[in-house]
Amino acid sequence: DARPKEASYSPPMKKLVDEHTLIKRWAAMIPQVIDSLDVESGEGRHRINDGIEFIRSYADRYHHDKEEEILFKCFDENLDIIKTMCEDHETARAHVRAMLTALDERDKEAVSEHLEAYQELLSEHIKKEDEILYLWMDRNFPITKVGELFAKFNEKDKEFGDIPKKCEEFINKLEKKFKLMEVLK
């Protein structure tokens, strides 16, 4: 069997990888979001704002916060790989701020550019985490740290209540909408 072996993660890392799945589903729809981009109508701007809100609440405040405030603090934060991941998070935040500004200015081209740049950045970023960083971290975690990390992630989940579920519902709805648009073409 020439297929690559499925990576095996500890429960806390598996939780982060699973969160990446929802972010990747959003990133996969960005080309369709750009194709149907409408910065003039209230409904169009609202749709873009919903996507930006998903990025801000789920990808950033929920997911990146777990990494920055919990996971990365378990290691030397001066390690190049951790600094690179944090720089990627900052770059993603800058794209989000630029999208909001462009949306206020009804600048369709700038919104598109920053959505594309965000998609490209996050796709590479998630790949580095899933395929390199998390596996390396798992190999270097004492087993007691794994349980502690999992407990802290669960606390963070409680803090966020039903926000992750609402974010998943948003992604499900958007996927259905784009599938319907494809069928109607």
Side-chain angles (χ1 to χ4, degrees), residues 20-30 32-33 47 54 167-183:
H20 281 163
T21 303
L22 197 59
I23 298 166
K24 289 192 290 192
R25 285 171 59 196
W26 158 244
M29 288 185 282
I30 288 177
Q32 292 162 293
V33 170
R47 192 173 319 127
F54 169 81
C167 289
E168 187 171 1
E169 288 165 6
F170 164 73
I171 295 299
N172 290 339
K173 249 190 269 182
L174 198 58
E175 284 173 337
K176 280 185 189 136
K177 178 185 183 293
F178 284 131
K179 279 184 183 125
L180 183 60
M181 285 170 62
E182 282 300 310
V183 170

Side-chain angles (χ1 to χ4, degrees), residues 60-61 94 162:
D60 198 35
R61 287 186 205 115
D162 64 349

Side-chain angles (χ1 to χ4, degrees), residues 23-147:
I23 298 166
K24 289 192 290 192
R25 285 171 59 196
W26 158 244
M29 288 185 282
I30 288 177
Q32 292 162 293
V33 170
I34 291 170
D35 286 347
S36 63
L37 201 55
D38 169 12
V39 296
E40 296 304 324
S41 77
E43 185 189 336
R45 283 193 311 282
H46 182 72
R47 192 173 319 127
I48 299 162
N49 254 324
D50 285 348
I52 292 170
E53 190 48 40
F54 169 81
I55 294 169
R56 293 174 100 184
S57 59
Y58 188 85
D60 198 35
R61 287 186 205 115
Y62 179 66
H63 178 76
H64 291 161
D65 199 53
K66 280 182 187 170
E67 293 173 335
E68 292 174 5
E69 298 304 316
I70 302 170
L71 177 64
F72 295 167
K73 294 202 180 313
C74 296
F75 291 88
D76 178 354
E77 291 181 89
N78 290 313
L79 289 172
D80 286 343
I81 184 104
I82 292 178
K83 287 198 300 198
T84 299
M85 294 298 110
C86 289
E87 286 165 13
D88 284 356
H89 293 172
E90 286 306 320
T91 302
R93 291 176 185 122
H95 285 304
V96 167
R97 287 189 298 273
M99 280 181 236
L100 288 167
T101 300
L103 190 58
D104 285 345
E105 296 168 355
R106 291 176 164 70
D107 184 343
K108 186 176 180 174
E109 198 173 301
V111 172
S112 294
E113 280 175 27
H114 288 286
L115 272 169
E116 260 181 62
Y118 177 85
Q119 178 195 27
E120 205 172 287
L121 173 76
L122 257 283
S123 298
E124 282 304 306
H125 177 82
I126 288 172
K127 192 174 167 64
K128 286 185 269 192
E129 287 181 339
D130 286 356
E131 296 176 12
I132 301 166
L133 183 64
Y134 293 168
L135 294 169
W136 174 81
M137 288 178 155
D138 259 347
R139 283 193 307 271
N140 290 286
F141 266 139
I143 196 75
T144 54
K145 202 70 162 166
V146 171

Side-chain angles (χ1 to χ4, degrees), residues 157-171:
D157 290 347
K158 282 184 195 138
E159 260 176 58
F160 275 80
D162 64 349
I163 290 170
K165 188 168 179 42
K166 285 181 178 170
C167 289
E168 187 171 1
E169 288 165 6
F170 164 73
I171 295 299

